[in-house]
Amino acid sequence: MDSERPAVHVWDCEAGQLRQLGSVGAESAVYGDASGWDRFKRTPAVAWHPDEPLLVVAAEGRMVQWTPAGLGELENLPPTARYRSMAFSPNGQTLWASPSSGDEDSAWERSDVLDLASGTVSTGPRWDTGVAEHPIGGLVATLCSDQGATLGLFARVDHEAAPTAMRVLRRALILDADGYETPMFSADGRYLAIRGNAYGNSLDVFAFPSLHRVLATTLGDPSPGYPYPPEWLEEMRSWSRHNIAFGVQPGVLWVGTPTGTLIEVDLENRHAVEHDVLSGSPVSGLGATATGELLMASRGGDVVLLSVRADSTEAQSRDGDTSRAAVTAFLDATSEVPDDGDLETHLVVTDGARTWESDDLATVTTATATDPTWLQLQAAFNDARDQDK
C-alpha cells in the first residue's frame, strides 16, 4: 500500500532481492488531509490468489486485476459491488467479498460469494476486515465488526461446495469496540494475532486451538478518554496499523515502531528484543513472504527485505503434525452455525480469559469497571430492558 495515495505497489522478492513489478492506482489523487472514515473509504482492498501471480484490487468504485502481463478489468461483477474486504478461497476458485452487493440498507449483514469459473454471485455469511487461512488449511478466521464489540469468527472451508463456502462455527472470540485489522495466524498455526482498534493501538495474541489470550497490550500510551488530547492523538496515529508479522520462528511476533525499530517478541518466553533497522524512520508496514523473510516499509519510502533464522526441516515437520491436530481438535470441539441462523443466538464467545454462552449474555445485568467495555454495555442494556418489562 502507498501511504500518500490510494495505490498498491507490487514487488518481486525472489532470491532475496526486491524488484518493483507494477502498481495499481498510482495516478490517484493523494489522500491529503483525509483521515478517519474519509481515508478508509479511499483505501484499496486487495486479495492475492493463493497459487497464481494474480492480485485483485478494489478502490474508489473500480475493481481491477493485476498480473505480470498487466492490468485488466474483473469480469462478471455485480454493478452495485462496493467491496471493502476481499479474499480468495484457499483453492483459488472463489472470491469472497464484503459487504454484499445486494440491498444497500442491509449490505453489511451479508457477503458476496463469486464463482470465478461461472461468474455467478451468491450470498455468503456476514464478515468483514479480511480472511486469514490457518497454515495447515481447512479453517479460516475473520471478523464481524460492530462499534460495541467485534466478533472473531472461525469457519470451516467447504471445498466440496460450488462455489467454495465458509461454514461459520459456533466457537468465537469477542473483542472490545471495532476498527481491527485482518487476523493473522503464526506460520506454525499455534497463535492468532489481532491488531486494532479504532480507539487505540491494541495488540492481542491468542493461543490456538485453546483461544487462551497470551498477550494483551497497547502500543504507545493507553487512551486517556474522550476528548482526546492532541498530543495523544498525534502519538497514536504515529503507529502503523499494519506493523505486525509472524516470521518462520515458532512463537515469535515482530512489531514495527514509529522510531524505525523492530521488536522481536518471544511469546513463549515472555521476552522482547529491539532491533534498530530503519534508524528513526517510522515503520509504515510490515509483512512476511511465503518463505519467511520479513518485508518492512518506512514512511520515508524505504522498503527492506530481512532474513531471519529458520527452523530445521525436522522441526517444521513436527510443527505441521501439531497444526493438523490443532485444527482437527478445534473442529471437533464445536459445530456450525446454521446458514439461516442468527450469530448472537448460536455463538459461544471468549475474550481469551472467560467464556460466555449466548444465554449468559442475554441475561447478564451486572458488570464492574474492570470488565470489558462490551460486557458493561451488554449488562446495562439487559438491565434497562428488564426494568421496562
Side-chain angles (χ1 to χ4, degrees), residues 10 46-57 64-68 74 86-96 114-117 133 164 290:
V10 183
V46 300
W48 271 112
H49 192 280
D51 303 312
E52 302 173 10
L54 168 63
L55 179 71
V56 174
V57 180
V64 299
Q65 57 182 9
W66 177 94
T67 69
L74 199 64
M86 301 182 298
F88 280 96
S89 62
N91 60 12
Q93 298 174 7
T94 302
L95 185 67
W96 297 325
L114 288 74
D115 188 315
L116 299 178
E133 182 189 11
T164 310

PDB file of all heavy atoms in Angstrom, residues 10 46-57 64-68 74 86-96 114-117 133 164 290:
ATOM      1  N   VAL A  10       3.371  -3.499  -6.435  1.00  0.00           N
ATOM      2  CA  VAL A  10       3.670  -4.925  -6.468  1.00  0.00           C
ATOM      3  C   VAL A  10       5.180  -5.113  -6.634  1.00  0.00           C
ATOM      4  O   VAL A  10       5.792  -4.514  -7.531  1.00  0.00           O
ATOM      5  CB  VAL A  10       2.926  -5.630  -7.612  1.00  0.00           C
ATOM      6  CG1 VAL A  10       3.196  -7.129  -7.582  1.00  0.00           C
ATOM      7  CG2 VAL A  10       1.427  -5.359  -7.521  1.00  0.00           C
ATOM      8  N   VAL A  46      -7.508  -5.420  -1.178  1.00  0.00           N
ATOM      9  CA  VAL A  46      -6.719  -6.272  -2.064  1.00  0.00           C
ATOM     10  C   VAL A  46      -6.885  -7.739  -1.689  1.00  0.00           C
ATOM     11  O   VAL A  46      -7.194  -8.075  -0.538  1.00  0.00           O
ATOM     12  CB  VAL A  46      -5.219  -5.898  -2.025  1.00  0.00           C
ATOM     13  CG1 VAL A  46      -5.021  -4.457  -2.455  1.00  0.00           C
ATOM     14  CG2 VAL A  46      -4.639  -6.126  -0.630  1.00  0.00           C
ATOM     15  N   ALA A  47      -6.662  -8.613  -2.655  1.00  0.00           N
ATOM     16  CA  ALA A  47      -6.698 -10.058  -2.421  1.00  0.00           C
ATOM     17  C   ALA A  47      -5.736 -10.727  -3.396  1.00  0.00           C
ATOM     18  O   ALA A  47      -5.853 -10.554  -4.617  1.00  0.00           O
ATOM     19  CB  ALA A  47      -8.107 -10.609  -2.596  1.00  0.00           C
ATOM     20  N   TRP A  48      -4.788 -11.500  -2.856  1.00  0.00           N
ATOM     21  CA  TRP A  48      -3.866 -12.280  -3.676  1.00  0.00           C
ATOM     22  C   TRP A  48      -4.450 -13.664  -3.936  1.00  0.00           C
ATOM     23  O   TRP A  48      -4.988 -14.306  -3.038  1.00  0.00           O
ATOM     24  CB  TRP A  48      -2.533 -12.466  -2.958  1.00  0.00           C
ATOM     25  CG  TRP A  48      -1.515 -11.399  -3.189  1.00  0.00           C
ATOM     26  CD1 TRP A  48      -1.059 -10.497  -2.278  1.00  0.00           C
ATOM     27  CD2 TRP A  48      -0.794 -11.140  -4.406  1.00  0.00           C
ATOM     28  NE1 TRP A  48      -0.110  -9.675  -2.846  1.00  0.00           N
ATOM     29  CE2 TRP A  48       0.071 -10.051  -4.158  1.00  0.00           C
ATOM     30  CE3 TRP A  48      -0.807 -11.714  -5.682  1.00  0.00           C
ATOM     31  CZ2 TRP A  48       0.925  -9.533  -5.122  1.00  0.00           C
ATOM     32  CZ3 TRP A  48       0.039 -11.196  -6.653  1.00  0.00           C
ATOM     33  CH2 TRP A  48       0.895 -10.113  -6.366  1.00  0.00           C
ATOM     34  N   HIS A  49      -4.312 -14.138  -5.165  1.00  0.00           N
ATOM     35  CA  HIS A  49      -4.667 -15.523  -5.480  1.00  0.00           C
ATOM     36  C   HIS A  49      -3.675 -16.446  -4.764  1.00  0.00           C
ATOM     37  O   HIS A  49      -2.481 -16.136  -4.681  1.00  0.00           O
ATOM     38  CB  HIS A  49      -4.597 -15.750  -6.995  1.00  0.00           C
ATOM     39  CG  HIS A  49      -5.207 -17.032  -7.434  1.00  0.00           C
ATOM     40  ND1 HIS A  49      -4.539 -18.246  -7.339  1.00  0.00           N
ATOM     41  CD2 HIS A  49      -6.428 -17.315  -7.978  1.00  0.00           C
ATOM     42  CE1 HIS A  49      -5.305 -19.208  -7.805  1.00  0.00           C
ATOM     43  NE2 HIS A  49      -6.464 -18.687  -8.189  1.00  0.00           N
ATOM     44  N   PRO A  50      -4.135 -17.578  -4.197  1.00  0.00           N
ATOM     45  CA  PRO A  50      -3.241 -18.427  -3.414  1.00  0.00           C
ATOM     46  C   PRO A  50      -2.162 -19.141  -4.225  1.00  0.00           C
ATOM     47  O   PRO A  50      -1.121 -19.531  -3.669  1.00  0.00           O
ATOM     48  CB  PRO A  50      -4.195 -19.442  -2.770  1.00  0.00           C
ATOM     49  CG  PRO A  50      -5.390 -19.470  -3.664  1.00  0.00           C
ATOM     50  CD  PRO A  50      -5.521 -18.077  -4.187  1.00  0.00           C
ATOM     51  N   ASP A  51      -2.369 -19.313  -5.541  1.00  0.00           N
ATOM     52  CA  ASP A  51      -1.420 -20.099  -6.333  1.00  0.00           C
ATOM     53  C   ASP A  51      -0.853 -19.353  -7.535  1.00  0.00           C
ATOM     54  O   ASP A  51       0.203 -19.735  -8.054  1.00  0.00           O
ATOM     55  CB  ASP A  51      -2.100 -21.389  -6.839  1.00  0.00           C
ATOM     56  CG  ASP A  51      -2.650 -22.235  -5.706  1.00  0.00           C
ATOM     57  OD1 ASP A  51      -1.911 -22.462  -4.730  1.00  0.00           O
ATOM     58  OD2 ASP A  51      -3.823 -22.651  -5.785  1.00  0.00           O
ATOM     59  N   GLU A  52      -1.534 -18.342  -7.992  1.00  0.00           N
ATOM     60  CA  GLU A  52      -1.122 -17.653  -9.210  1.00  0.00           C
ATOM     61  C   GLU A  52      -0.715 -16.207  -8.909  1.00  0.00           C
ATOM     62  O   GLU A  52      -1.150 -15.629  -7.909  1.00  0.00           O
ATOM     63  CB  GLU A  52      -2.275 -17.644 -10.218  1.00  0.00           C
ATOM     64  CG  GLU A  52      -2.781 -19.018 -10.599  1.00  0.00           C
ATOM     65  CD  GLU A  52      -4.034 -18.943 -11.462  1.00  0.00           C
ATOM     66  OE1 GLU A  52      -4.373 -17.822 -11.903  1.00  0.00           O
ATOM     67  OE2 GLU A  52      -4.674 -19.987 -11.674  1.00  0.00           O
ATOM     68  N   PRO A  53       0.150 -15.619  -9.765  1.00  0.00           N
ATOM     69  CA  PRO A  53       0.513 -14.200  -9.587  1.00  0.00           C
ATOM     70  C   PRO A  53      -0.626 -13.301 -10.046  1.00  0.00           C
ATOM     71  O   PRO A  53      -0.562 -12.657 -11.102  1.00  0.00           O
ATOM     72  CB  PRO A  53       1.764 -14.049 -10.463  1.00  0.00           C
ATOM     73  CG  PRO A  53       1.580 -15.074 -11.545  1.00  0.00           C
ATOM     74  CD  PRO A  53       0.873 -16.231 -10.894  1.00  0.00           C
ATOM     75  N   LEU A  54      -1.685 -13.285  -9.259  1.00  0.00           N
ATOM     76  CA  LEU A  54      -2.904 -12.542  -9.593  1.00  0.00           C
ATOM     77  C   LEU A  54      -3.360 -11.772  -8.363  1.00  0.00           C
ATOM     78  O   LEU A  54      -3.598 -12.358  -7.307  1.00  0.00           O
ATOM     79  CB  LEU A  54      -4.005 -13.507 -10.050  1.00  0.00           C
ATOM     80  CG  LEU A  54      -5.428 -12.939 -10.156  1.00  0.00           C
ATOM     81  CD1 LEU A  54      -5.492 -11.842 -11.207  1.00  0.00           C
ATOM     82  CD2 LEU A  54      -6.422 -14.047 -10.468  1.00  0.00           C
ATOM     83  N   LEU A  55      -3.461 -10.466  -8.511  1.00  0.00           N
ATOM     84  CA  LEU A  55      -3.898  -9.586  -7.427  1.00  0.00           C
ATOM     85  C   LEU A  55      -5.164  -8.867  -7.851  1.00  0.00           C
ATOM     86  O   LEU A  55      -5.212  -8.259  -8.926  1.00  0.00           O
ATOM     87  CB  LEU A  55      -2.804  -8.564  -7.102  1.00  0.00           C
ATOM     88  CG  LEU A  55      -3.124  -7.550  -6.000  1.00  0.00           C
ATOM     89  CD1 LEU A  55      -3.151  -8.225  -4.641  1.00  0.00           C
ATOM     90  CD2 LEU A  55      -2.114  -6.408  -6.009  1.00  0.00           C
ATOM     91  N   VAL A  56      -6.189  -8.941  -7.010  1.00  0.00           N
ATOM     92  CA  VAL A  56      -7.435  -8.211  -7.260  1.00  0.00           C
ATOM     93  C   VAL A  56      -7.462  -6.990  -6.345  1.00  0.00           C
ATOM     94  O   VAL A  56      -7.183  -7.099  -5.140  1.00  0.00           O
ATOM     95  CB  VAL A  56      -8.667  -9.097  -7.010  1.00  0.00           C
ATOM     96  CG1 VAL A  56      -9.948  -8.286  -7.132  1.00  0.00           C
ATOM     97  CG2 VAL A  56      -8.688 -10.270  -7.993  1.00  0.00           C
ATOM     98  N   VAL A  57      -7.785  -5.838  -6.908  1.00  0.00           N
ATOM     99  CA  VAL A  57      -7.789  -4.579  -6.160  1.00  0.00           C
ATOM    100  C   VAL A  57      -9.124  -3.886  -6.364  1.00  0.00           C
ATOM    101  O   VAL A  57      -9.576  -3.702  -7.503  1.00  0.00           O
ATOM    102  CB  VAL A  57      -6.644  -3.643  -6.615  1.00  0.00           C
ATOM    103  CG1 VAL A  57      -6.673  -2.341  -5.819  1.00  0.00           C
ATOM    104  CG2 VAL A  57      -5.291  -4.325  -6.457  1.00  0.00           C
ATOM    105  N   VAL A  64     -10.065  -4.044 -10.357  1.00  0.00           N
ATOM    106  CA  VAL A  64      -9.147  -4.455 -11.421  1.00  0.00           C
ATOM    107  C   VAL A  64      -8.325  -5.636 -10.934  1.00  0.00           C
ATOM    108  O   VAL A  64      -8.246  -5.914  -9.732  1.00  0.00           O
ATOM    109  CB  VAL A  64      -8.207  -3.309 -11.846  1.00  0.00           C
ATOM    110  CG1 VAL A  64      -9.011  -2.140 -12.393  1.00  0.00           C
ATOM    111  CG2 VAL A  64      -7.346  -2.845 -10.673  1.00  0.00           C
ATOM    112  N   GLN A  65      -7.719  -6.344 -11.871  1.00  0.00           N
ATOM    113  CA  GLN A  65      -6.815  -7.421 -11.521  1.00  0.00           C
ATOM    114  C   GLN A  65      -5.448  -7.157 -12.140  1.00  0.00           C
ATOM    115  O   GLN A  65      -5.346  -6.729 -13.291  1.00  0.00           O
ATOM    116  CB  GLN A  65      -7.375  -8.777 -11.973  1.00  0.00           C
ATOM    117  CG  GLN A  65      -7.668  -8.890 -13.444  1.00  0.00           C
ATOM    118  CD  GLN A  65      -8.261 -10.252 -13.796  1.00  0.00           C
ATOM    119  OE1 GLN A  65      -8.598 -11.033 -12.919  1.00  0.00           O
ATOM    120  NE2 GLN A  65      -8.375 -10.541 -15.083  1.00  0.00           N
ATOM    121  N   TRP A  66      -4.426  -7.407 -11.338  1.00  0.00           N
ATOM    122  CA  TRP A  66      -3.050  -7.255 -11.818  1.00  0.00           C
ATOM    123  C   TRP A  66      -2.423  -8.621 -12.003  1.00  0.00           C
ATOM    124  O   TRP A  66      -2.572  -9.509 -11.144  1.00  0.00           O
ATOM    125  CB  TRP A  66      -2.215  -6.448 -10.807  1.00  0.00           C
ATOM    126  CG  TRP A  66      -0.772  -6.336 -11.218  1.00  0.00           C
ATOM    127  CD1 TRP A  66      -0.187  -5.330 -11.919  1.00  0.00           C
ATOM    128  CD2 TRP A  66       0.273  -7.296 -10.954  1.00  0.00           C
ATOM    129  NE1 TRP A  66       1.144  -5.586 -12.126  1.00  0.00           N
ATOM    130  CE2 TRP A  66       1.454  -6.796 -11.540  1.00  0.00           C
ATOM    131  CE3 TRP A  66       0.314  -8.522 -10.296  1.00  0.00           C
ATOM    132  CZ2 TRP A  66       2.663  -7.485 -11.475  1.00  0.00           C
ATOM    133  CZ3 TRP A  66       1.521  -9.218 -10.234  1.00  0.00           C
ATOM    134  CH2 TRP A  66       2.680  -8.696 -10.815  1.00  0.00           C
ATOM    135  N   THR A  67      -1.739  -8.813 -13.125  1.00  0.00           N
ATOM    136  CA  THR A  67      -0.902  -9.977 -13.368  1.00  0.00           C
ATOM    137  C   THR A  67       0.403  -9.462 -13.965  1.00  0.00           C
ATOM    138  O   THR A  67       0.492  -8.279 -14.353  1.00  0.00           O
ATOM    139  CB  THR A  67      -1.561 -10.969 -14.352  1.00  0.00           C
ATOM    140  OG1 THR A  67      -1.600 -10.379 -15.658  1.00  0.00           O
ATOM    141  CG2 THR A  67      -2.980 -11.329 -13.908  1.00  0.00           C
ATOM    142  N   PRO A  68       1.425 -10.293 -14.062  1.00  0.00           N
ATOM    143  CA  PRO A  68       2.671  -9.820 -14.689  1.00  0.00           C
ATOM    144  C   PRO A  68       2.460  -9.290 -16.103  1.00  0.00           C
ATOM    145  O   PRO A  68       3.278  -8.509 -16.600  1.00  0.00           O
ATOM    146  CB  PRO A  68       3.547 -11.081 -14.682  1.00  0.00           C
ATOM    147  CG  PRO A  68       3.076 -11.858 -13.494  1.00  0.00           C
ATOM    148  CD  PRO A  68       1.586 -11.636 -13.472  1.00  0.00           C
ATOM    149  N   LEU A  74     -11.939  -6.854 -13.860  1.00  0.00           N
ATOM    150  CA  LEU A  74     -12.501  -8.103 -13.361  1.00  0.00           C
ATOM    151  C   LEU A  74     -13.913  -8.229 -13.916  1.00  0.00           C
ATOM    152  O   LEU A  74     -14.739  -7.336 -13.742  1.00  0.00           O
ATOM    153  CB  LEU A  74     -12.511  -8.097 -11.833  1.00  0.00           C
ATOM    154  CG  LEU A  74     -12.641  -9.458 -11.155  1.00  0.00           C
ATOM    155  CD1 LEU A  74     -11.437 -10.331 -11.474  1.00  0.00           C
ATOM    156  CD2 LEU A  74     -12.775  -9.291  -9.650  1.00  0.00           C
ATOM    157  N   MET A  86     -11.855  -8.367   0.689  1.00  0.00           N
ATOM    158  CA  MET A  86     -11.920  -9.469  -0.263  1.00  0.00           C
ATOM    159  C   MET A  86     -10.908 -10.535   0.127  1.00  0.00           C
ATOM    160  O   MET A  86      -9.891 -10.242   0.760  1.00  0.00           O
ATOM    161  CB  MET A  86     -11.611  -8.985  -1.684  1.00  0.00           C
ATOM    162  CG  MET A  86     -12.538  -7.919  -2.209  1.00  0.00           C
ATOM    163  SD  MET A  86     -12.112  -7.460  -3.923  1.00  0.00           S
ATOM    164  CE  MET A  86     -10.434  -6.828  -3.703  1.00  0.00           C
ATOM    165  N   ALA A  87     -11.193 -11.771  -0.282  1.00  0.00           N
ATOM    166  CA  ALA A  87     -10.243 -12.867  -0.064  1.00  0.00           C
ATOM    167  C   ALA A  87     -10.570 -13.992  -1.031  1.00  0.00           C
ATOM    168  O   ALA A  87     -11.751 -14.301  -1.264  1.00  0.00           O
ATOM    169  CB  ALA A  87     -10.313 -13.375   1.371  1.00  0.00           C
ATOM    170  N   PHE A  88      -9.548 -14.589  -1.608  1.00  0.00           N
ATOM    171  CA  PHE A  88      -9.747 -15.787  -2.402  1.00  0.00           C
ATOM    172  C   PHE A  88      -9.943 -16.969  -1.463  1.00  0.00           C
ATOM    173  O   PHE A  88      -9.330 -17.040  -0.393  1.00  0.00           O
ATOM    174  CB  PHE A  88      -8.534 -16.063  -3.291  1.00  0.00           C
ATOM    175  CG  PHE A  88      -8.490 -15.242  -4.548  1.00  0.00           C
ATOM    176  CD1 PHE A  88      -7.747 -14.076  -4.597  1.00  0.00           C
ATOM    177  CD2 PHE A  88      -9.185 -15.649  -5.681  1.00  0.00           C
ATOM    178  CE1 PHE A  88      -7.690 -13.320  -5.753  1.00  0.00           C
ATOM    179  CE2 PHE A  88      -9.144 -14.897  -6.843  1.00  0.00           C
ATOM    180  CZ  PHE A  88      -8.400 -13.733  -6.889  1.00  0.00           C
ATOM    181  N   SER A  89     -10.773 -17.914  -1.870  1.00  0.00           N
ATOM    182  CA  SER A  89     -10.851 -19.170  -1.137  1.00  0.00           C
ATOM    183  C   SER A  89      -9.504 -19.878  -1.273  1.00  0.00           C
ATOM    184  O   SER A  89      -8.751 -19.620  -2.222  1.00  0.00           O
ATOM    185  CB  SER A  89     -11.971 -20.044  -1.709  1.00  0.00           C
ATOM    186  OG  SER A  89     -11.708 -20.370  -3.071  1.00  0.00           O
ATOM    187  N   PRO A  90      -9.153 -20.757  -0.341  1.00  0.00           N
ATOM    188  CA  PRO A  90      -7.840 -21.413  -0.396  1.00  0.00           C
ATOM    189  C   PRO A  90      -7.566 -22.165  -1.693  1.00  0.00           C
ATOM    190  O   PRO A  90      -6.404 -22.300  -2.086  1.00  0.00           O
ATOM    191  CB  PRO A  90      -7.886 -22.371   0.808  1.00  0.00           C
ATOM    192  CG  PRO A  90      -8.803 -21.700   1.770  1.00  0.00           C
ATOM    193  CD  PRO A  90      -9.868 -21.070   0.914  1.00  0.00           C
ATOM    194  N   ASN A  91      -8.617 -22.653  -2.382  1.00  0.00           N
ATOM    195  CA  ASN A  91      -8.387 -23.343  -3.656  1.00  0.00           C
ATOM    196  C   ASN A  91      -8.356 -22.384  -4.844  1.00  0.00           C
ATOM    197  O   ASN A  91      -8.161 -22.820  -5.993  1.00  0.00           O
ATOM    198  CB  ASN A  91      -9.437 -24.440  -3.879  1.00  0.00           C
ATOM    199  CG  ASN A  91     -10.866 -23.891  -3.923  1.00  0.00           C
ATOM    200  OD1 ASN A  91     -11.078 -22.678  -4.014  1.00  0.00           O
ATOM    201  ND2 ASN A  91     -11.844 -24.780  -3.843  1.00  0.00           N
ATOM    202  N   GLY A  92      -8.561 -21.093  -4.601  1.00  0.00           N
ATOM    203  CA  GLY A  92      -8.464 -20.093  -5.651  1.00  0.00           C
ATOM    204  C   GLY A  92      -9.634 -20.043  -6.606  1.00  0.00           C
ATOM    205  O   GLY A  92      -9.625 -19.266  -7.571  1.00  0.00           O
ATOM    206  N   GLN A  93     -10.671 -20.829  -6.370  1.00  0.00           N
ATOM    207  CA  GLN A  93     -11.793 -20.910  -7.305  1.00  0.00           C
ATOM    208  C   GLN A  93     -12.915 -19.922  -7.001  1.00  0.00           C
ATOM    209  O   GLN A  93     -13.812 -19.728  -7.820  1.00  0.00           O
ATOM    210  CB  GLN A  93     -12.354 -22.336  -7.300  1.00  0.00           C
ATOM    211  CG  GLN A  93     -11.352 -23.378  -7.761  1.00  0.00           C
ATOM    212  CD  GLN A  93     -11.867 -24.797  -7.625  1.00  0.00           C
ATOM    213  OE1 GLN A  93     -13.041 -25.008  -7.298  1.00  0.00           O
ATOM    214  NE2 GLN A  93     -11.012 -25.775  -7.864  1.00  0.00           N
ATOM    215  N   THR A  94     -12.864 -19.319  -5.828  1.00  0.00           N
ATOM    216  CA  THR A  94     -13.951 -18.444  -5.383  1.00  0.00           C
ATOM    217  C   THR A  94     -13.373 -17.175  -4.785  1.00  0.00           C
ATOM    218  O   THR A  94     -12.329 -17.205  -4.123  1.00  0.00           O
ATOM    219  CB  THR A  94     -14.814 -19.168  -4.334  1.00  0.00           C
ATOM    220  OG1 THR A  94     -15.327 -20.375  -4.894  1.00  0.00           O
ATOM    221  CG2 THR A  94     -15.965 -18.296  -3.868  1.00  0.00           C
ATOM    222  N   LEU A  95     -14.038 -16.050  -5.013  1.00  0.00           N
ATOM    223  CA  LEU A  95     -13.671 -14.798  -4.375  1.00  0.00           C
ATOM    224  C   LEU A  95     -14.746 -14.448  -3.355  1.00  0.00           C
ATOM    225  O   LEU A  95     -15.926 -14.315  -3.706  1.00  0.00           O
ATOM    226  CB  LEU A  95     -13.543 -13.667  -5.403  1.00  0.00           C
ATOM    227  CG  LEU A  95     -13.046 -12.321  -4.859  1.00  0.00           C
ATOM    228  CD1 LEU A  95     -11.590 -12.431  -4.402  1.00  0.00           C
ATOM    229  CD2 LEU A  95     -13.170 -11.227  -5.925  1.00  0.00           C
ATOM    230  N   TRP A  96     -14.364 -14.348  -2.092  1.00  0.00           N
ATOM    231  CA  TRP A  96     -15.268 -13.918  -1.033  1.00  0.00           C
ATOM    232  C   TRP A  96     -15.134 -12.404  -0.891  1.00  0.00           C
ATOM    233  O   TRP A  96     -14.011 -11.864  -0.852  1.00  0.00           O
ATOM    234  CB  TRP A  96     -14.900 -14.595   0.281  1.00  0.00           C
ATOM    235  CG  TRP A  96     -15.032 -16.090   0.265  1.00  0.00           C
ATOM    236  CD1 TRP A  96     -15.961 -16.828  -0.397  1.00  0.00           C
ATOM    237  CD2 TRP A  96     -14.203 -17.040   0.960  1.00  0.00           C
ATOM    238  NE1 TRP A  96     -15.782 -18.170  -0.159  1.00  0.00           N
ATOM    239  CE2 TRP A  96     -14.709 -18.324   0.670  1.00  0.00           C
ATOM    240  CE3 TRP A  96     -13.095 -16.921   1.806  1.00  0.00           C
ATOM    241  CZ2 TRP A  96     -14.129 -19.489   1.179  1.00  0.00           C
ATOM    242  CZ3 TRP A  96     -12.515 -18.075   2.314  1.00  0.00           C
ATOM    243  CH2 TRP A  96     -13.031 -19.339   2.002  1.00  0.00           C
ATOM    244  N   LEU A 114     -18.347 -15.115  -5.116  1.00  0.00           N
ATOM    245  CA  LEU A 114     -18.216 -15.047  -6.571  1.00  0.00           C
ATOM    246  C   LEU A 114     -17.540 -16.308  -7.081  1.00  0.00           C
ATOM    247  O   LEU A 114     -16.376 -16.581  -6.751  1.00  0.00           O
ATOM    248  CB  LEU A 114     -17.404 -13.821  -6.999  1.00  0.00           C
ATOM    249  CG  LEU A 114     -18.051 -12.446  -6.867  1.00  0.00           C
ATOM    250  CD1 LEU A 114     -18.120 -11.993  -5.408  1.00  0.00           C
ATOM    251  CD2 LEU A 114     -17.260 -11.410  -7.666  1.00  0.00           C
ATOM    252  N   ASP A 115     -18.265 -17.092  -7.852  1.00  0.00           N
ATOM    253  CA  ASP A 115     -17.696 -18.272  -8.505  1.00  0.00           C
ATOM    254  C   ASP A 115     -16.959 -17.790  -9.756  1.00  0.00           C
ATOM    255  O   ASP A 115     -17.576 -17.342 -10.718  1.00  0.00           O
ATOM    256  CB  ASP A 115     -18.807 -19.250  -8.874  1.00  0.00           C
ATOM    257  CG  ASP A 115     -18.266 -20.569  -9.384  1.00  0.00           C
ATOM    258  OD1 ASP A 115     -17.331 -20.559 -10.206  1.00  0.00           O
ATOM    259  OD2 ASP A 115     -18.761 -21.623  -8.952  1.00  0.00           O
ATOM    260  N   LEU A 116     -15.629 -17.876  -9.748  1.00  0.00           N
ATOM    261  CA  LEU A 116     -14.842 -17.285 -10.823  1.00  0.00           C
ATOM    262  C   LEU A 116     -14.982 -18.052 -12.137  1.00  0.00           C
ATOM    263  O   LEU A 116     -14.768 -17.480 -13.200  1.00  0.00           O
ATOM    264  CB  LEU A 116     -13.376 -17.222 -10.401  1.00  0.00           C
ATOM    265  CG  LEU A 116     -13.117 -16.367  -9.155  1.00  0.00           C
ATOM    266  CD1 LEU A 116     -11.646 -16.404  -8.773  1.00  0.00           C
ATOM    267  CD2 LEU A 116     -13.561 -14.928  -9.386  1.00  0.00           C
ATOM    268  N   ALA A 117     -15.327 -19.324 -12.062  1.00  0.00           N
ATOM    269  CA  ALA A 117     -15.471 -20.112 -13.293  1.00  0.00           C
ATOM    270  C   ALA A 117     -16.762 -19.781 -14.023  1.00  0.00           C
ATOM    271  O   ALA A 117     -16.780 -19.592 -15.243  1.00  0.00           O
ATOM    272  CB  ALA A 117     -15.405 -21.605 -12.965  1.00  0.00           C
ATOM    273  N   GLU A 133      -6.256 -17.640   6.504  1.00  0.00           N
ATOM    274  CA  GLU A 133      -6.324 -19.098   6.466  1.00  0.00           C
ATOM    275  C   GLU A 133      -5.328 -19.689   7.445  1.00  0.00           C
ATOM    276  O   GLU A 133      -4.180 -19.223   7.553  1.00  0.00           O
ATOM    277  CB  GLU A 133      -6.023 -19.607   5.057  1.00  0.00           C
ATOM    278  CG  GLU A 133      -6.132 -21.125   4.937  1.00  0.00           C
ATOM    279  CD  GLU A 133      -5.634 -21.656   3.615  1.00  0.00           C
ATOM    280  OE1 GLU A 133      -5.002 -20.878   2.858  1.00  0.00           O
ATOM    281  OE2 GLU A 133      -5.853 -22.851   3.331  1.00  0.00           O
ATOM    282  N   THR A 164     -16.884 -22.427  -3.437  1.00  0.00           N
ATOM    283  CA  THR A 164     -16.309 -22.767  -2.141  1.00  0.00           C
ATOM    284  C   THR A 164     -16.910 -21.884  -1.058  1.00  0.00           C
ATOM    285  O   THR A 164     -17.000 -20.667  -1.207  1.00  0.00           O
ATOM    286  CB  THR A 164     -14.786 -22.580  -2.165  1.00  0.00           C
ATOM    287  OG1 THR A 164     -14.254 -23.254  -3.311  1.00  0.00           O
ATOM    288  CG2 THR A 164     -14.147 -23.142  -0.902  1.00  0.00           C
ATOM    289  N   ALA A 290       6.266 -15.691   1.631  1.00  0.00           N
ATOM    290  CA  ALA A 290       5.907 -17.107   1.740  1.00  0.00           C
ATOM    291  C   ALA A 290       7.059 -17.946   2.277  1.00  0.00           C
ATOM    292  O   ALA A 290       6.841 -19.004   2.874  1.00  0.00           O
ATOM    293  CB  ALA A 290       5.465 -17.631   0.376  1.00  0.00           C
TER     294      ALA A 290
END
